């Protein structure tokens, strides 16, 4: 079993056990970082991905049909119609959903849970004026390190997972068995994929009990709890035994405020829709 | 409440994807789109949706909105409520573990079950 020191060196090899990270999402993040994002540049990036281009056309043609207009077939025209924000959302969600779904392979619950946290994180980010793309990516990747344990030591990790299913103490059991946990592996993978620092830190700290360093970290912490509270996906293992009050307070969350209740309603509806689309 | 009143469907609201919306639906909660701290669209509760407003919601990246819909009758609703409360007790325990959990439980309870 790898030591923590060897883990950093092995991450590129571990990454090859996963699908390639979606290039189109990396390109979007580069454009955002360099402040060079326009609808034209994003449409040029998106049209090279057939699934993403198809979704852009689908949304645009929904708008066209509402107006009794004929369908578009040009991704540039479609992107111009639905606007930059919508295209950004589609690029991130379609690109990341497909990546994690393929990576999850025969563990559909992993994908469902990751998707639920991504949706909740994005909704919380919008509510708190944080970058929604970073929140979605951090949310959907927050547990990606667990998939690497299945590669490194599948039998040992199944035992860890079985123990954690009883008492909910996954990180403690991972630390005891391997000397490190899925949060660290996930952070190292995100670094390997050149994701923003904020995303790295959010993945690394999502189980921490201390005060989060920034609001994106707090968003991912709270998002995971919200998905369990909302029973998304349904699981007999969904338990809420602790909410990090420091994360809650950093975001200034009042769970019973009208804005938070609306946020909870949207999380539930978006999750249902995401799975209905796949039927 | 007599039997006839109990059988009458009550109004409640459902969160619907914007792609599921039809003109004529009525917003139950405000619908807003933002870019950072800037609101780019705000449609108040009670507004009746038109093709134009649905197209605007789609274009500004709004994923879903709350619209009024008819809900099950009182008897069916009571059964749904009871099942929901039972599930919440399984998730949170007989008593919420701490103050923050108690706040979250109260909010999930207020949200109510999804019957959409």
């Amino acid at each position: 079993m790898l030591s923590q020191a060897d883990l950093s060196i092995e991450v590129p090899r571990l990454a090859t056990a996963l699908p390639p990270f979606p290039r189109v999402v990396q390109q979007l993040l580069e454009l955002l970082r360099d402040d060079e994002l326009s609808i034209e540049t994003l449409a040029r990036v998106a049209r090279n991905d057939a699934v993403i281009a198809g979704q852009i056309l689908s949304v645009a043609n929904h708008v066209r049909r509402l107006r009794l207009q004929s369908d578009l077939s040009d991704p540039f025209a479609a992107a111009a119609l639905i606007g930059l924000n919508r295209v950004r959302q589609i690029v991130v969600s379609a690109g990341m959903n497909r990546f994690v779904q393929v990576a999850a392979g025969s563990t559909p619950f992993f994908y469902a849970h990751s998707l639920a946290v991504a949706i909740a994180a994005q909704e919380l980010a919008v509510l708190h004026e944080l970058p929604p793309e970073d929140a979605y990516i951090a949310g959907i990747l927050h547990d990606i390190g667990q998939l690497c344990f299945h590669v490194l030591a599948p039998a040992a990790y199944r035992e860890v997972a079985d123990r954690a299913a009883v008492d909910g103490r996954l990180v403690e059991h991972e630390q005891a068995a391997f000397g490190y946990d899925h949060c660290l592996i996930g952070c190292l993978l995100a670094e390997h994929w050149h994701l923003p620092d904020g995303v790295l830190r959010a993945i690394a700290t999502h189980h921490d009990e201390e005060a989060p360093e920034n609001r994106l970290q707090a968003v991912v912490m709270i998002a995971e709890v919200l998905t369990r509270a909302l029973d998304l996906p349904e699981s007999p293992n969904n338990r809420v035994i602790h909410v990090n009050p420091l994360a809650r307070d950093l975001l200034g969350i009042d769970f019973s405020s009208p804005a938070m209740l609306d946020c909870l309603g949207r999380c539930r509806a978006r999750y249902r829709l995401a799975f209905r689309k796949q039927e | 409440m007599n039997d006839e009143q109990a059988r009458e469907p009550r109004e409640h609201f459902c969160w619907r994807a914007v792609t599921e919306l039809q003109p004529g639906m009525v917003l139950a909660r405000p619908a807003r789109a933002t870019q950072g701290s800037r609101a780019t669209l705000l449609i108040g509760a009670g507004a009746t949706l038109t093709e134009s407003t649905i197209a605007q919601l789609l274009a500004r990246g709004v994923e879903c909105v709350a619209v009024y819909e008819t809900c099950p009758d009182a008897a069916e609703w009571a059964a749904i409520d009871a099942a929901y409360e039972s599930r919440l007790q399984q998730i949170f325990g007989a008593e919420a573990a701490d103050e923050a959990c108690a706040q979250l439980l109260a909010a999930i309870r207020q949200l109510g079950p999804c019957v959409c």
Side-chain angles (χ1 to χ4, degrees):
Chain A
M1 192 61 209
L2 293 173
S3 67
Q4 188 168 335
D6 293 335
L7 192 58
S8 301
I9 301 167
E10 283 300 305
V11 159
R13 183 183 69 82
L14 286 173
T16 63
L18 299 173
F21 192 84
R23 179 70 191 129
V24 65
V25 173
Q26 285 176 319
Q27 287 174 315
L28 167 63
L29 293 175
E30 285 167 15
L31 289 169
L32 283 169
R33 192 168 44 233
D34 299 337
D35 205 21
E36 290 177 8
L37 189 64
S38 68
I39 191 66
E40 291 81 18
T41 52
L42 190 52
R44 200 171 301 123
V45 164
R47 71 173 176 177
N48 295 323
D49 185 303
V51 171
I52 290 174
Q55 284 203 18
I56 293 171
L57 282 166
S58 175
V59 173
N61 286 330
H62 191 91
V63 175
R64 297 273 296 182
R65 287 172 204 150
L66 281 169
R67 297 170 176 169
L68 302 178
Q69 295 170 328
S70 58
D71 283 2
L72 295 171
S73 59
D74 173 19
F76 279 93
L81 175 63
I82 66 176
L84 185 57
N85 278 348
R86 191 62 174 190
V87 174
R88 282 165 67 164
Q89 282 176 1
I90 292 172
V91 167
V92 171
S93 62
M96 293 309 302
N97 290 3
R98 187 176 53 202
F99 169 72
V100 174
Q101 192 171 22
V102 172
S106 58
T107 51
F109 182 85
F110 179 90
Y111 170 63
H113 170 68
S114 300
L115 178 63
V117 175
I119 290 170
Q122 188 178 55
E123 287 289 339
L124 285 170
V126 170
L127 200 59
H128 294 91
E129 300 172 13
L130 293 167
E133 292 88 5
D134 287 1
Y136 194 94
I137 293 168
I140 205 164
L141 292 180
H142 76 288
D143 275 346
I144 198 75
Q146 291 183 26
L147 295 183
C148 288
F149 276 125
H150 286 296
V151 172
L152 286 168
Y157 197 66
R158 268 196 300 278
E159 287 181 26
V160 164
D162 288 344
R163 283 198 287 275
V166 172
D167 61 17
R169 300 184 191 284
L170 178 63
V171 169
E172 288 177 30
H173 291 306
E174 286 173 342
Q175 293 273 3
F178 307 113
Y180 43 84
D181 57 48
H182 69 275
C183 306
L184 174 62
I185 300 182
C187 175
L188 292 172
L189 276 170
E191 188 178 36
H192 173 71
W193 291 322
H194 305 293
L195 297 182
D197 280 345
V199 172
L200 269 61
R201 296 304 304 152
I203 293 172
T205 60
H206 73 272
H207 279 289
D208 282 10
E209 292 300 327
E210 297 84 28
E213 295 160 10
N214 59 54
R215 294 191 306 152
L216 180 60
Q217 289 178 25
V219 156
V220 176
M221 290 174 178
I222 298 294
E224 173 140 46
V225 174
L226 292 189
T227 61
R228 297 191 189 280
L230 290 167
D231 207 13
L232 303 174
E234 287 183 18
S235 167
N237 296 330
N238 281 335
R239 294 281 186 276
V240 175
I241 57 174
H242 181 66
V243 176
N244 187 328
L246 302 171
R248 177 200 60 184
D249 294 345
L250 183 63
L251 295 172
I253 286 178
D254 172 2
F255 286 120
S256 292
S257 67
M260 267 308 296
L261 289 174
D262 286 355
C263 178
L264 293 171
R266 284 194 301 270
C267 289
R268 204 160 59 180
R270 285 185 59 188
Y271 176 82
R272 273 197 350 263
L273 175 70
F275 277 90
R276 211 181 320 142
K277 274 184 186 172
Q278 296 175 20
E279 287 168 4
Chain B
M1 184 188 293
N2 60 35
D3 284 348
E4 194 169 308
Q5 285 171 323
R7 279 193 295 273
E8 273 182 20
R10 296 179 299 172
E11 270 202 344
H12 82 125
F13 64 84
C14 275
W15 288 91
R16 290 285 178 199
V18 171
T19 50
E20 295 176 310
L21 298 179
Q22 297 292 329
M25 288 180 170
V26 178
L27 281 182
R29 299 287 303 138
R32 58 174 60 86
T34 56
Q35 193 164 341
S37 58
R38 191 168 60 93
T40 57
L41 178 70
L42 177 61
I43 306 174
T48 300
L49 294 173
T50 64
E51 289 90 349
S52 173
T53 49
I54 294 171
Q56 285 184 65
L57 289 167
L58 264 171
R60 281 169 175 72
V62 177
E63 294 275 356
C64 49
V65 299
V67 291
Y68 284 116
E69 296 190 3
T70 305
C71 75
D73 66 29
E76 195 177 341
W77 188 255
I80 293 169
D81 257 345
Y84 186 65
E85 183 59 35
S86 170
R87 184 67 188 120
L88 288 182
Q89 289 213 359
Q90 290 170 349
I91 292 172
F92 285 85
E95 280 183 30
D98 55 36
E99 171 255 345
C101 289
Q103 279 188 4
L104 178 55
L105 172 58
I108 302 290
R109 215 170 243 145
Q110 193 175 351
L111 178 69
C114 178
V115 295
C116 306

